[in-house]
Structure formats: C-alpha cells, structure tokens
C-alpha cells in the first residue's frame, strides 16, 4: 500500500510538473523560426506584404497559440493604410513540434484599416483568400475608417465558403456611438469583375429593434447598386425626428463617392410618404434625407428639429407635407430644408401656410436653440391667425381693438428663441399702413411687446376708447402685457384730425404704465404729454398744449355742440396754451389746470375721486376787458350795453355722478355783478340746469329787431332749466329799465318760458310772461305784459314823433313765428292797449286856440314842437307784421287829436292820419298825414276844412 501511494503521488507530481512546464517553458523558448510562416499567413489574409519585427511566443495552455507582435503592413500607395497591434495563431501542437505551422485560427487584434473614399476599382481586394476555407479568422477590438466614417470596437469572424468562395463576416461594431450586430456575404468576383453583397444590420442598446438590410451588386469599378430596406421602433435614435416607428425600402446606389437611396417608400408613425437618402464621405461626411408625406404632426417634429445636438456627420433634412398639425391648427403646404452640423442648424428654407391663409417664409440659422435669419409673412386674415396663436398660448391677442391688425405683409431679420421673437429691419404693411423699424415679443402667460416703429400713416380711432377709462381699469387692461413702444407716425388720424407728426414713447409692465413722451401736432397745434401710473395711481402726469388758433380744436366737440365755420366765435381764433398736471391715487387725484385763450385765463384745481366719479375744486376765469370778451364770443355791440370793466368768474365746482354744482358763484362783467349757485343734473333723459342768480346790476342789450341772421335757437334743445333770477337794477342798452326784477327761467323739451316776471318800472309796476317754442316749425314766440303807473322820462321809441314824458298803464299780447328776428317781426300778431296820462309829445305842437288858425301857423305847429296832453289812449291790433291803430285819441288843453293808420316795423315805414280838433267854437278838423320812413316822416298838413272853417267864420263876422 505504501508503494502504491508513492507511485500515485509521483504520477501526480509528474503531471503537475508537466503542466507547469507546458505553461512556463514555451514562452522562454525562441520561436522566431516561425516568424516568416506567420507573416506569410497574415499577408494572405490582408492582401498586403506583412513583416513581423517583434518577438514570437508560444503558449500551450489553455491551447497552443503563437503570438506575434511588432507587425508591419506595407503601404500599397493607393491612399489606404493598415496596421495590426498583434497576431495570434492557434496551431496544431504535433505539427509544431515537427517544425511545421498548421494554422487552425488566425486572430488579428487591434486591426486598424483606413480606406480612402471613393474606393475606386477593387476587384482584387474583394477576392477572399482560399485558405479561409480551412482556417477560421477573427478580428478583435479593431477599427475601420472609410474617409471620415469610423466603425470602431469591431469584433468579427471571417470565413470563406469552400464550395462557392463566398466571403462571409459576422460580428459586432460601433457606429456613431450606437452598437450594431452585422452579417455580410460577398461572392467572388465574376468574369466581369462584379460581385454580389448582402448586408444585414441589427441594432443593439439604444437602437435595439432597428434593422437594415442591403442586397446589391458591386461593379468592377467599385460602384454599387441594389435594394435597401430599414425598419425600427424609434426614428429619433437615427435622425432628428419624433419618437415614432418607421419603415422604408427602395433602391440604393453607390458611385463616385456618393451613396444614394432614392424613390424610397416610407411609413413614419403610420403616415405614408416618399423619401430619399444621400450619403457622401468627401470632402466631409454628409447625410442628406428628404421626406415628403401627405400629413405630418409638427407638434412632434418641431422640438426635434430645433433641439438637435452635434451629429457625427453633417446632416441635411428636407421635409415637406401637404398638411401638418400644429398647436391645434392646420398648417398647409409645409416645406422645410435643414442642415445639422456641430450643434448648428441651418434653415435653408421653411415655408408654410398658417391658419388664416398666412404665408410664412423664413431662412436662417438655429444655434444654441436660437434662430436668426430672414422672415417674411403675408397674412390676408391676420385676426384668424391671431386667434390660432392665442389658442396656442401666445398671449391674450384677443384683447386687441377691433378693426386693427386685419392684414399684414411684413419682412425682416428675425431672432427667435427662449420664448422670444425679435425682428430687426422690419419693413412692410399692416392693414393699409407702411411700417419700418423693429419689434420684439416674448410669449407666455404675459405677452411682452417691444417695438420701435416708423410709419407714414396711423389710424388712432380704433385704439381710442369711446370714453376715458379709469386709471385702475386701464392698468387692469394692460396688466397681461409688458409693452415698450416707440412710435413715430408722419400722419396719425384721430376723429378726422391729421396729427402730423406723432411721436410716442411709452411702456407698460405688470400694471405700471409709463408715458415717457408723447408729442403730436395738427393744424398749428402742438401737444406734449408725459407721466406714469402704477395700479391706477398717477405720478408726474403733465400735459402741455399750444395752438396758434384754438379753432381747429372745435372739431373735437360732440356733434351736438358743433359750430358751423361761419359761427365760430372770434375768441377761438386766439392763441391757446393749456397746461395740466395730475397726481395721486384714483380716490384722490389732484389736478391742476391752466388755460390761456388769448387774454382769457381759466384756472382750476379739482380733487377727483375716479372710483365714485366725484370731484370738487375752485374755478377761476378772468379777462381784462369784459366788453371785448363779449364781442369775441359773438355778443355784438357789447361796449354799448355791458359797460367798461373786466370779466371775472369765481366758483366752487363739485361733481357727483349725474350732477355738477357751482356754489359760491361770483360773476363780474363790466357793469354786471351777480352771485348765486347753479346745478346741472345729467341723470335724466336730458341735462337740466337749476339754481338761482342774484344781480346787483343786470345790463341787457337792445335787440336788433330787423336782423336777418338766424337766431341761436339750437342752444335751447337737448337740455332743460329751472333758474330763479333776481336783479336789483336792469339796464337796457345802458339805460335804467327795471328795478327789483324777479323771474324764473324754465326750459323743457325745447320750450323756453320766462314766468313770474315782476319788476318796478318807472315808479310803477310791470309783469310779463314770455315763451319761445323751438319744437314748432318755425319756432313760435309768445309775449304777454302789463304795465301800471310807469313813468316816462325820455323818448319812448326814439321816433320823430314820440312820447317824452308821462305815466302809462297798459297791456300787450304778441305772437310771432320764425327763425330770425326779422321774420318774427314780420309775422307779429296780437293786440296792444296803452293809456298815457299827463305827458308830452315831442315832434308836434297843436295850434294854440287863441291865435288865428292860419295855414302858416298850423304848418309850423305840425312840423315841430312839444305838446302837453292830459290823456292819450291807444288801442292797436298787430297782424302780418304791421301795427294797425284801431283807436288812438289824445286829449290836450289845446284840442283833441285822433290818430288812425298803420306802422310797418319791418319796412320801418308809417302811414298815419292825425285829425286835430282845436278847442274853438265849432272847431274845424285839421288834418296831418305822416308817410314814409320812420326816421324821416313826410308831414303833409290837410288844411281844406280849415280854410272852409275860416271862410264861414269870416262871413259870419261881417255885420
């Protein structure tokens, strides 16, 4: 047993010793004698002379392998290069100890092949070595470069079919950072030098599921033609495209350094189309892809096209679609051409028809997710395009005013990125306005707009509110926007005014509105404004208006207040300077206003509560010459009745919604001085003026009854009044007329009434009622008046024959219709009854009864003089503008006079007959005819009866 143990242990030791020897001894031996055989074997594989300059070693375990280093491959001089890090040959151990190398497997490690592009004619290179039928060849950790295209990490097995000579390869490689498994079969060249090639690629890792097959013929000149097919679950792993499955097939050709696959049928994400692919390696690697489809999902494509990194090779993509879905709308006739390289996307062309038939055309460069290039937009229905953009989240575009941004035709240099759009060198038309300049917008929850624009013409009416909005409402309306606007318009139209030019510099940011500068001019009117507003609070708001004449500004008045050009008061032809300043919160806005119109100055400092519409403050209006001011506003002959002196109006104004009051009112104008308070109610169907006025002296003009000018009756329509008037002294044409006068001025529905008029007149009393009804056509004037015990202290009517003194009682009732004073006078109708007592008549003297009534004496008496009378009673009828004396009898100590006839105030003529019966026995009737114009009556005595009387009395006197 002990001997058996020793034998077993010795055998085990021998085996171990043999294994150790097989492991350690061969590397220590010199195997250089096999260098040439190994080099010859490698030369047959690579097709070039190979030299082994490094050591050759043998390892027996785990299998006999010869390893050679320092491998050198000769350069063939055709631009290609080949290098091998090391060669390993698995050999037969018995043949090796017999001095022969019988190769079973050849492994080239670190093979580095560099081929030029194009390859050129390579039939000899395509012929596989015959010994591969018996020897298995492999490459490990190798690399192949064709031009600038590099396949790395190649691990493959090479073999040759022993019957057909077909060259086969299978293994794995890395291309563009993506792993691939490949198989290839290439036949031996035929008699014409061509060979067939079948290639299959299957993706690994990121491109798992991608498959490419190629079946083609390689010509003797190196050209290639055949069929290509590809498929995959995710096109985004290969191209700048959305994550959708794809499938394509078609013909491929490779010639002259260009690989092209045209007339491809493609299916991308279920959308069929046509396509083409072209690949070239020189002068730089470039892949061009063209895709045409009937419909495309741009929502998925745009992010990929605008966020492409750095592709391994330069990449060109041509994309076209008849229709495309984008942001909830349909884009038509889409065409885009893109180049991708080194993190830069060159947009050679991008054309599309957006919703609203807006044609978009742009070209430029996309770098770091920012586009810069030229853009052109033609939008015939821009509001439709805006509606689509707003639905896509491009800000509250619907809040733009109606009637603007209807059409656009613009071009410029655009920068788009980071949610911003900026356009420089902007040129084109918006609506019918030519626009140049620059503009920028930032989209999102808040739309930010910045623009510097110049235009020939700008219509402001759509942008102007119908009523001035409250500052808080304006801030709220602008809050969704950030605006920085610089605008210059050669002509800006507002309510028919041509503002030439207009310059605006304004900004709005999160409820803060800043008007840095507004300058405009029109018809010799210059306006400048500035200020800011934050959440409705005004700060440093200023307005400065200068006009050589205020007349052009009258066109801004409401239609109801419009004046015909020939009715514009002279005052508005004076220079105007208006200065205003405002500041404070909406609840207590302070306003300072000063206006100089010629010599007229208006000043007010109200405090306004914009939230409730209430305001209050003092008002002062001054002018150095009241008569001059009265004539400037159209009151002719004012110096004659108003008197000398200045004009001043001082009041405290207070306003609430629907009501304006003027309290502590103090008015001075020449001889006029009045106080009181007024209120204007504007809450009903029409404005209504109420209040009371008290005047120390109230001067009134003498109306020009024969004026043909239309009366300003239009001022009596559209409003009402109920004003109590009181005057201590009333002057008519500068002369005392009434004392202690009171009346009520009432206006309603176009009818003006003066009611309750009572006054002291010449020591007596007077009362009257007057009305003007403008609702009738023509307007109707009504007057009723009574006088009692009024003294006459001067010529009553300023006629050649007039009443110069006395007292009078009487009444009058008149009615007339017309649009002018002359027409009213011509249509005068009514009655007149006057009773004069103890007075005198000028322009006529009755013949004294104690004298001989000679013709000469009578004619002299009737031509001039003064006659005292005890009683003069006049009854007259007024009709068709004339005054018909029904009964007029004058009783005098010298006789009784009866007057008949008529007066025509319109023609200013008279035709009267005076009959005097002197106080003599059996008195004769002495007549006097008065005819002709009132200011030059023709006096014709009628003395026939006087002659008969003298003759009869002379006969009676003869004894």
């Amino acid at each position: 047993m002990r001997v058996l143990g020793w034998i077993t242990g010795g055998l085990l030791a021998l085996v171990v010793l043999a294994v150790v020897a097989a492991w350690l001894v061969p590397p220590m031996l010199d195997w250089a004698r096999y260098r040439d055989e190994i080099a010859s074997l490698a030369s047959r594989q690579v097709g070039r002379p190979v030299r082994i300059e490094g050591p050759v070693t043998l390892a027996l375990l785990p299998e006999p392998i010869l390893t050679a280093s320092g491998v050198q491959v000769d350069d063939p001089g055709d631009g290609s290069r080949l290098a091998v890090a090391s060669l390993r040959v698995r050999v037969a151990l018995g043949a090796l100890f017999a001095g022969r190398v019988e190769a079973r497997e050849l492994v080239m490690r670190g093979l580095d092949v560099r081929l030029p592009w194009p390859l050129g004619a390579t039939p000899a290179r395509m012929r596989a070595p015959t010994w591969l039928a018996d020897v298995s060849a492999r490459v490990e950790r190798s690399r192949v470069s064709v031009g600038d295209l590099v396949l790395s990490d190649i691990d493959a097995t090479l073999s040759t079919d022993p019957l057909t000579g077909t060259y086969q390869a299978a293994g794995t490689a890395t291309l563009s950072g993506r792993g691939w498994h490949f198989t290839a079969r290439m036949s031996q060249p035929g008699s014409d030098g061509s060979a067939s090639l079948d290639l299959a690629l299957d993706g690994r890792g990121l491109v798992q599921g991608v498959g490419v097959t190629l079946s083609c013929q390689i010509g003797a000149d190196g050209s290639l033609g055949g069929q290509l097919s590809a498929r995959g679950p995710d096109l985004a792993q290969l191209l700048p495209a959305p994550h959708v499955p794809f499938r394509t097939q078609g013909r491929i050709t490779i010639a002259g350094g260009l690989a092209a696959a045209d007339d491809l049928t493609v299916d991308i994400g279920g959308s069929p189309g046509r396509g083409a692919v072209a690949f070239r390696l020189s002068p730089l690697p470039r892949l061009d892809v063209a895709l045409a489809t009937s419909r495309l999902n741009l929502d998925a494509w745009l992010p990929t096209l605008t966020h492409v990194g750095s592709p391994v090779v330069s990449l060109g993509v041509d994309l076209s679609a008849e229709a495309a879905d984008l942001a909830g709308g349909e884009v038509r006739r889409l065409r885009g051409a893109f180049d991708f390289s080194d993190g830069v996307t060159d947009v050679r062309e991008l054309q599309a028809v957006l919703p609203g038939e807006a044609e978009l055309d742009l070209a430029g460069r996309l770098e770091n997710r920012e586009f810069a290039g030229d853009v052109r937009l033609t939008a015939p229905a821009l509001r439709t395009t805006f509606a689509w953009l707003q639905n896509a989240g491009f800000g509250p575009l619907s809040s733009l005013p109606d009637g603007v941004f209807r059409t656009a035709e613009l071009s410029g240099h655009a920068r788009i990125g980071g949610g911003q759009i900026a356009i420089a060198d902007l040129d084109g038309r918006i609506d019918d306005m030519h626009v140049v300049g620059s503009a920028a917008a930032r989209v999102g929850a808040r739309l930010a707009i910045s623009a510097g624009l110049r235009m020939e013409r700008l219509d402001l009416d759509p942008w102007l509110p119908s009523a001035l909005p409250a500052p808080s409402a304006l801030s709220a309306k602008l809050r969704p926007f950030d605006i920085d606007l610089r605008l210059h318009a050669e002509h800006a139209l507002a309510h028919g005014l041509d503002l030439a030019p207009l310059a605006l510099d304004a900004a709005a940011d999160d409820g803060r509105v800043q008007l840095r500068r507004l300058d405009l001019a029109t018809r010799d009117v210059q306006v400048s404004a500035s200020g800011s507003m934050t959440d409705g609070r005004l700060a440093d708001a200023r307005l400065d208006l200068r006009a050589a004449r205020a007349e052009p500004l009258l066109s801004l008045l409401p239609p109801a207040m419009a004046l015909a050009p020939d009715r514009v008061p002279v005052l508005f032809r004076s220079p105007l300077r208006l200065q205003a300043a405002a500041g404070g919160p909406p609840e207590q806005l302070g306003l300072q206003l000063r206006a100089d119109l010629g010599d007229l100055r208006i000043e007010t400092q109200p405090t306004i509560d914009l939230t409730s519409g209430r305001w209050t403050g003092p008002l002062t209006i001054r002018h150095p010459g009241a008569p001059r001011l009265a004539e400037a506003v159209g009151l002719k002959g004012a110096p004659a009745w108003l008197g000398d002196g200045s004009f001043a109006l001082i009041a405290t104004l207070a306003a609430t919604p629907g009501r304006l009051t003027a309290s502590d009112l103090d008015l001075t104008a020449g001889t006029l001085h009045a106080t009181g308070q007024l209120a204007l109610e504007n809450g009903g169907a029409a404005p209504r003026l109420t209040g009371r006025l008290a005047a120390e002296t109230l001067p009134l003009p003498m109306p020009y009854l024969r004026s043909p000018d239309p009366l300003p009756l239009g001022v009596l329509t559209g409003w009402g009044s109920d004003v109590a008037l009181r005057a201590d002294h009333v002057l008519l044409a500068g002369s005392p007329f009434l004392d202690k006068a009171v009346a009520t001025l009432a206006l309603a529905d176009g009818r003006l009434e003066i009611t309750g008029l009572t006054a002291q007149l010449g020591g007596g009393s007077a009362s009257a009622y007057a009305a003007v009804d403008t609702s009738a056509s023509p307007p109707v004037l009504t007057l009723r008046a009574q006088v009692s015990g009024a003294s006459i202290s001067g010529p009553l009517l300023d006629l050649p024959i007039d009443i110069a003194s006395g007292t009078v009682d009487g009444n009058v009732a008149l009615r007339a219709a017309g649009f002018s004073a002359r027409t009213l006078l011509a249509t005068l109708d009514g009655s007149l009854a006057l009773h004069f007592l103890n007075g005198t008549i000028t322009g006529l003297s009755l013949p004294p009864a104690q004298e001989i009534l000679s013709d000469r004496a009578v004619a002299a008496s009737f031509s001039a003089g003064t006659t005292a009378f005890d009683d003069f009673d006049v009854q007259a009828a007024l009709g068709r503008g004339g005054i018909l004396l029904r009964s007029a009898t004058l009783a005098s100590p010298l006789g009784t006079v009866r007057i008949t006839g008529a007066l025509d105030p319109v023609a200013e003529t008279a035709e009267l007959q005076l009959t005097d019966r002197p106080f003599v026995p059996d008195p004769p009737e002495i007549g006097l005819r008065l005819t002709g114009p009132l200011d030059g009556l023709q006096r014709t005595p009628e003395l026939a009866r006087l002659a008969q009387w003298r003759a009869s009395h002379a006969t009676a006197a003869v004894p």
Side-chain angles (χ1 to χ4, degrees):
M1 292 299 290
R2 180 176 293 183
V3 174
L4 180 59
W6 283 105
I7 293 173
T8 301
L11 289 175
L12 289 174
L14 182 61
V15 170
V16 172
L17 181 61
V19 171
V20 173
W23 185 269
L24 298 177
V25 173
M28 300 178 184
L29 301 177
D30 183 10
W31 300 97
R33 63 181 181 273
Y34 298 111
R35 181 181 287 115
D36 293 338
E37 291 186 52
I38 297 174
S40 176
L41 181 63
S43 295
R44 292 196 303 270
Q45 166 65 18
V46 302
R48 298 182 189 176
V50 175
R51 301 185 310 277
I52 298 176
E53 298 178 353
V56 178
T57 60
L58 173 66
L60 292 177
L61 295 176
E63 55 185 348
I65 294 176
L66 282 173
T67 301
S69 59
V71 181
Q72 299 292 327
V73 183
D74 288 352
D75 188 347
D78 59 0
S80 64
R81 296 181 59 191
L82 188 148
V84 180
S86 65
L87 292 173
R88 298 201 317 270
V89 182
R90 184 166 59 85
V91 297
L93 185 60
L96 183 63
F97 285 126
R100 303 189 311 275
V101 176
E102 293 182 5
R104 294 291 180 263
E105 181 184 54
L106 174 65
V107 178
M108 291 177 286
R109 187 179 183 86
L111 177 66
D112 188 355
V113 181
R114 297 187 181 182
L115 300 176
W117 186 265
L119 294 175
T122 58
R125 293 179 186 165
M126 293 186 299
R127 188 174 299 275
T130 57
W131 59 267
L132 279 177
D134 300 319
V135 177
S136 173
R138 295 179 57 244
V139 293
E140 296 177 350
R141 298 183 183 178
S142 299
R143 153 179 161 144
V144 175
S145 301
V146 182
D148 291 329
L149 180 65
V150 178
L151 285 83
S152 61
D153 299 327
I154 300 175
D155 290 319
T157 300
L158 311 176
S159 63
T160 301
D161 189 290
L163 297 177
T164 63
T166 299
Y167 193 32
Q168 302 177 12
T172 61
T174 299
L175 174 63
S176 302
R178 290 165 173 79
W180 300 91
H181 180 273
F182 66 89
T183 60
R185 294 170 57 88
M186 185 175 66
S187 68
Q188 292 292 328
S191 59
D192 59 355
S194 64
S196 64
L197 173 65
D198 294 314
L199 175 65
L201 294 175
D202 291 291
R204 304 169 62 198
L206 292 175
V207 288
Q208 183 74 31
V210 176
V212 180
T213 60
L214 173 66
S215 180
C216 59
Q217 287 291 116
I218 303 177
D221 59 354
S223 63
L224 180 149
Q227 293 294 318
L228 172 71
S229 66
R231 71 191 186 289
D234 190 355
L235 183 60
Q237 295 300 329
L238 301 178
L239 296 172
H243 297 279
V244 293
F246 70 95
R247 183 179 297 275
T248 181
Q249 62 180 11
R251 179 173 175 77
I252 183 172
T253 60
I254 301 177
L258 174 66
D262 54 4
D263 198 21
L264 294 173
T265 60
V266 298
D267 186 303
I268 299 178
S271 179
R274 308 291 296 180
V277 178
F279 178 71
R280 67 173 69 245
L281 284 174
S282 62
L284 292 173
R286 178 175 176 83
L287 176 66
D288 288 286
V289 179
L291 174 64
T293 181
S294 60
R295 195 167 196 90
L296 206 63
N297 185 359
L298 266 184
D299 289 318
W301 275 87
L302 275 181
T304 62
L305 293 175
T306 56
H307 296 82
V308 175
S310 298
V312 176
V313 296
S314 295
L315 176 63
V317 175
D318 278 21
L319 195 62
S320 61
E322 285 302 314
D325 299 317
L326 179 62
E330 183 180 83
V331 176
R332 299 185 296 108
R333 299 203 301 269
L334 172 68
R335 166 141 177 81
F338 309 91
D339 288 336
F340 304 96
S341 61
D342 298 329
V344 175
T345 301
D346 288 314
V347 183
R348 301 194 305 273
E349 175 187 31
L350 180 59
Q351 296 177 341
V353 178
L354 307 177
E357 298 301 310
E359 298 182 9
L360 176 66
D361 188 349
L362 59 84
R365 169 168 288 196
L366 181 64
E367 186 173 5
N368 296 328
R369 300 186 179 182
E370 182 177 288
F371 171 82
D374 297 325
V375 61
R376 181 177 183 84
L377 175 68
T378 302
L382 189 57
R383 298 308 289 259
T384 302
T385 306
F386 276 174
W388 166 66
L389 288 174
Q390 177 164 301
N391 291 335
F394 279 68
L397 296 173
S398 62
S399 59
L400 292 171
D402 295 333
V404 300
F405 289 103
R406 303 181 305 275
T407 63
E409 185 176 349
L410 301 169
S411 62
H413 185 77
R415 299 188 71 88
I416 306 174
Q420 298 188 27
I421 302 174
I423 301 179
D425 302 325
L426 181 67
D427 192 356
R429 304 191 71 83
I430 298 177
D431 298 332
D432 57 351
M433 301 176 295
H434 181 225
V435 179
V436 297
S438 62
R442 185 180 69 249
V443 299
R446 294 172 55 80
L447 178 62
I449 299 174
S450 175
L453 302 175
R454 297 182 66 89
M455 54 190 64
E456 295 178 357
R457 181 178 177 273
L458 173 62
D459 188 1
L460 291 174
D461 287 340
W463 300 92
L464 298 176
S466 57
L468 189 64
S472 56
L474 180 60
S475 295
K477 189 172 185 178
L478 293 176
R479 187 174 293 278
F481 300 91
D482 289 340
I483 299 174
D484 190 344
L485 180 62
R486 297 167 304 284
L487 179 66
H488 181 90
E490 294 298 328
H491 298 279
L493 303 179
H495 301 307
L497 285 178
D498 183 5
L499 309 178
L502 179 143
L504 173 66
D505 188 352
D509 180 9
D510 194 21
R512 183 175 187 268
V513 181
Q514 185 177 11
L515 179 63
R516 292 187 286 261
R517 189 70 176 176
L518 171 64
D519 293 314
L520 58 88
T522 176
R523 301 183 190 176
D524 298 326
V525 179
Q526 291 84 36
V527 178
S528 296
S530 62
S532 63
M533 179 175 60
T534 303
D535 295 329
R537 183 185 182 93
L538 287 177
D540 299 325
R542 298 187 180 279
L543 173 69
D544 192 338
L545 183 149
R546 300 170 184 263
R549 293 159 55 94
E551 184 178 1
L553 299 176
L554 296 178
S555 60
L556 299 177
L557 294 174
M561 301 177 62
L563 298 175
D566 58 342
R567 305 288 294 175
V568 174
V570 175
L571 177 66
F572 289 98
R573 300 187 178 99
S574 304
L576 172 65
R577 173 76 183 275
L578 175 65
Q579 294 175 294
E587 301 80 8
Q588 196 174 5
L589 179 67
L591 177 65
Q592 294 181 349
L593 179 67
R594 170 177 169 176
D596 293 295
L597 180 58
D599 291 332
L600 180 67
R601 172 169 293 181
I602 303 172
E603 294 180 320
T604 182
Q605 296 181 358
T607 300
I608 307 173
D609 184 351
L610 296 176
T611 58
S612 64
R614 300 174 181 271
W615 59 271
T616 182
L619 170 69
T620 302
I621 304 177
R622 297 184 183 278
H623 191 281
R628 186 156 47 91
L629 175 62
E631 288 197 318
V633 297
L635 299 178
K636 298 179 181 179
W641 59 271
L642 188 59
D644 294 332
S646 61
F647 175 87
L649 173 63
I650 301 173
T652 299
L653 301 182
T656 58
R659 180 180 176 86
L660 173 65
T661 61
S663 60
D664 301 327
L665 188 149
D666 192 313
L667 173 64
T668 300
T671 57
L672 169 65
H673 182 220
T675 59
Q677 63 180 23
L678 296 173
L680 180 64
E681 304 283 349
N682 198 24
R688 182 174 177 82
L689 182 68
T690 60
R692 55 180 177 78
L693 291 174
E696 296 175 3
T697 302
L698 178 62
L700 298 176
M702 177 67 75
Y704 179 38
L705 299 179
R706 292 180 292 275
S707 172
D709 296 334
L711 294 170
L713 300 178
V715 300
L716 301 181
T717 59
W719 64 291
S721 71
D722 188 0
V723 178
L725 302 175
R726 180 176 63 82
D728 293 339
H729 305 286
V730 179
L731 305 181
L732 184 63
S735 300
F737 178 45
L738 299 174
D739 295 317
K740 306 299 182 182
V742 294
T744 299
L745 187 69
L747 175 64
D749 300 325
R751 179 180 176 85
L752 173 66
E753 293 183 310
I754 301 176
T755 61
L757 174 60
T758 61
Q760 297 177 3
L761 176 62
S765 63
S767 62
Y769 166 84
V772 178
D773 189 358
T774 63
S775 63
S777 183
V780 175
L781 169 67
T782 303
L783 173 64
R784 297 191 298 273
Q786 292 181 340
V787 178
S788 177
S791 299
I792 301 172
S793 58
L796 185 62
L797 301 176
D798 200 20
L799 295 176
I801 298 178
D802 205 346
I803 297 177
S805 63
T807 61
V808 60
D809 296 329
N811 60 79
V812 61
L814 303 177
R815 186 180 186 279
F819 290 96
S820 66
R822 186 168 189 168
T823 307
L824 290 173
L825 191 61
T827 60
L828 204 59
D829 190 10
S831 62
L832 176 68
L834 298 174
H835 189 200
F836 299 93
L837 297 173
N838 303 320
T840 58
I841 292 180
T842 60
L844 175 70
S845 63
L846 298 180
Q850 64 272 21
E851 295 183 2
I852 299 175
L853 296 176
S854 64
D855 291 350
R856 181 184 299 275
V858 171
S861 297
F862 283 171
S863 62
T866 300
T867 299
F869 65 85
D870 298 325
D871 184 272
F872 184 19
D873 186 72
V874 178
Q875 301 290 328
L878 289 82
R880 297 185 179 181
I883 302 176
L884 177 63
L885 295 179
R886 292 175 176 174
S887 171
T889 303
L890 182 145
S892 167
L894 300 178
T896 300
V897 178
R898 182 167 54 88
I899 306 173
T900 59
L903 290 87
D904 189 344
V906 178
E908 301 184 43
T909 61
E911 186 172 348
L912 301 175
Q913 177 70 44
L914 275 71
T915 302
D916 177 29
R917 295 177 65 86
F919 286 158
V920 296
D922 188 18
E925 291 186 353
I926 304 173
L928 175 65
R929 290 185 60 83
L930 299 173
T931 59
L934 293 177
D935 58 354
L937 288 172
Q938 181 69 36
R939 304 174 187 233
T940 305
E942 294 180 346
L943 305 176
R945 292 184 179 182
L946 176 61
Q948 294 176 357
W949 180 83
R950 284 201 306 267
S952 64
H953 278 262
T955 302
V958 175

